[in-house]
Amino acid sequence: MSNVTMTVNGKTVSGSVEGRTLLVEFIRNDLHLTGTHVGCDTSQCGACAIHVDGKLVKACTMFALEANGAEVSTIEGQANGDGSLNVIQQAFKDHHGLQCGFCTPGMVMAASALLKTNPKPSELEIREHLEGNICRCTGYHNIVKAVLAASGQDVSSIAAE
Amino acid sequence: MYNFEFKQPKTISDAVNALESDDAQALGGGQTLIPTMKQRLASPSTLVSLTAISEMKGICKNDDGSISIGGGTTHADVACHSDIFFGLKTLAENIGDAAVRNRGTIGGSLANNDPAACYPAAALSVGATIVTNSREISADDFFQGMFDTALEEGEIIVSVKFPVPSSSSYQKFVQPASRFAMVGVFLSNFGNETRVAVTGASEGGVFRWCEAEAALNEDFSDGSIKDLSIDHKDMINDIHASKEYRAHLVKVMTKRAVANAS
Ligand code: FES
Ligand code: FES
């Protein structure tokens, strides 16, 4: 076992992990932050998407020890200071961007990574950026709509309600 | 996955030493190796992560005009760097998905030499030089078949030197589930010479399509390859595409690459 220390949602945390402990396992099992989901464990679905040093990554495809010393943010750190939903989360709620909600933490983390580098993405750019995030419920239209709305753009061009 | 000892050296020489231990394996961004280890198709006893080696990251222009990309540079960093030429930029920004591009590295992709990976096509097409901790290997000698390269046990790709073509293009017919190339064609034109490298198609991994190169050297236009065809005998056959379909795609993607080169 080795010691690992990182900052998660602004708090310094540490623990003792095996070499093979995945970052997502450390986050869920040791830190009990279960908002980061495991949909596939084969790097395909993006339900485990988080930010490491500001970059979108799949927490199931990275070892906890690789994040030693890193700044990590997960869905639990996304709400506003007063506990209200942030603008992306609120847009998902307003535009019915989720049904079962399993993919949603990953979708929100992916969307926020996009809006940080591209504050006004086109519909195509949003769809391309979300290629690594699978949703089995919504058919994606309302997710795309939510991301467009979160970026302050008109959403009337997106078909499904 | 089986457990292993994790090491994260900070310098190339420490990494080379760490890789000397029995059954040690280098870990780049892990976007292929970690899934492979989960399936127990790889079970190294020591895993040597290369991600903390800062001298293996970054992109710079050399005096001879070529570009050197550190082996530990991610696809995302290649995609957004201003010195990267057109074909290589398109290639890097379309590997996998956004999260994969933030971890996966050029050195990892080349060392793995997946028969459907994108980077081998770029390296072979421009005639890149693979710089390791002990020597320089030309791309023409580096790729030796599916998942096989000239790298020795424990040898690390420190950087890759790319000559800059006057125009280039990468055309990928995406296998939509994996985002790998069902067929990908990288074309580079150096004025007096055109090189065409194909990935995703052949059982032997990336290869140069010499007939197309000869035709394009005569006349650089998509018309000059319209009467060519490529033998489908050695092409990959799987549930996504037959040998014949892949052979057909090689020609279509090459034509598009000529038309699109910039
Ligand atoms: S759980 Fe990580 S990509 Fe699906
Ligand atoms: S809302 Fe159910 S998987 Fe996306």
Coordinates of all heavy atoms in Angstrom, one line a residue, chain A residues 2 11 24 40 44 52 75 117 129 134 136:
Chain A
S2 N 0.4 2.3 -0.7 CA 1.1 3.6 -0.7 C 0.2 4.7 -0.3 O -1.0 4.6 -0.5 CB 1.6 3.9 -2.1 OG 2.2 2.8 -2.7
K11 N -10.7 20.4 -0.8 CA -10.3 19.9 0.5 C -9.1 18.9 0.3 O -9.1 18.1 -0.6 CB -11.4 19.1 1.2 CG -12.3 20.0 2.0 CD -12.9 19.2 3.2 CE -13.8 18.1 3.0 NZ -15.2 18.2 2.9
V24 N -11.3 6.3 -9.5 CA -12.8 6.3 -9.2 C -13.0 5.5 -7.9 O -13.9 5.8 -7.2 CB -13.6 5.9 -10.4 CG1 -13.5 4.4 -10.7 CG2 -15.1 6.2 -10.2
C40 N -19.4 1.6 -17.0 CA -18.9 0.5 -17.8 C -17.6 -0.1 -17.3 O -17.3 -1.2 -17.4 CB -18.6 1.1 -19.2 SG -17.3 2.3 -19.3
Q44 N -15.7 3.6 -21.8 CA -16.5 4.0 -22.9 C -17.6 4.9 -22.5 O -18.1 5.7 -23.4 CB -17.1 2.7 -23.5 CG -16.2 2.1 -24.5 CD -16.2 0.5 -24.4 OE1 -16.6 -0.1 -23.4 NE2 -15.7 -0.1 -25.5
V52 N -9.3 16.5 -13.4 CA -8.0 16.4 -12.7 C -7.1 17.5 -13.2 O -6.8 17.6 -14.4 CB -7.3 15.0 -12.9 CG1 -5.9 15.0 -12.3 CG2 -8.2 13.9 -12.3
I75 N -18.5 15.9 -9.1 CA -19.9 16.6 -9.2 C -20.3 17.2 -7.8 O -21.0 18.2 -7.8 CB -20.9 15.5 -9.7 CG1 -22.3 16.1 -10.0 CG2 -21.1 14.4 -8.7 CD1 -22.3 17.0 -11.2
T117 N -13.4 26.2 -21.9 CA -12.5 26.6 -23.0 C -13.2 27.2 -24.2 O -12.7 27.8 -25.0 CB -11.7 25.3 -23.5 OG1 -12.7 24.3 -23.8 CG2 -10.7 24.8 -22.5
H129 N -18.1 17.1 -28.4 CA -17.4 17.1 -27.1 C -18.0 16.0 -26.2 O -17.3 15.5 -25.3 CB -17.5 18.5 -26.4 CG -16.8 18.5 -25.1 ND1 -15.4 18.8 -25.0 CD2 -17.2 18.3 -23.8 CE1 -15.0 18.7 -23.8 NE2 -16.1 18.5 -23.0
I134 N -22.0 8.5 -22.7 CA -23.2 7.8 -23.2 C -24.4 8.0 -22.2 O -24.2 7.9 -21.0 CB -22.8 6.3 -23.3 CG1 -21.8 6.1 -24.4 CG2 -24.1 5.4 -23.6 CD1 -21.3 4.7 -24.6
R136 N -28.3 6.5 -21.8 CA -29.2 5.4 -22.4 C -30.7 5.9 -22.3 O -31.6 5.2 -22.8 CB -29.1 4.2 -21.5 CG -27.8 3.5 -21.7 CD -27.6 2.7 -23.0 NE -27.3 3.5 -24.1 CZ -26.6 3.2 -25.2 NH1 -26.2 1.9 -25.3 NH2 -26.4 4.0 -26.1

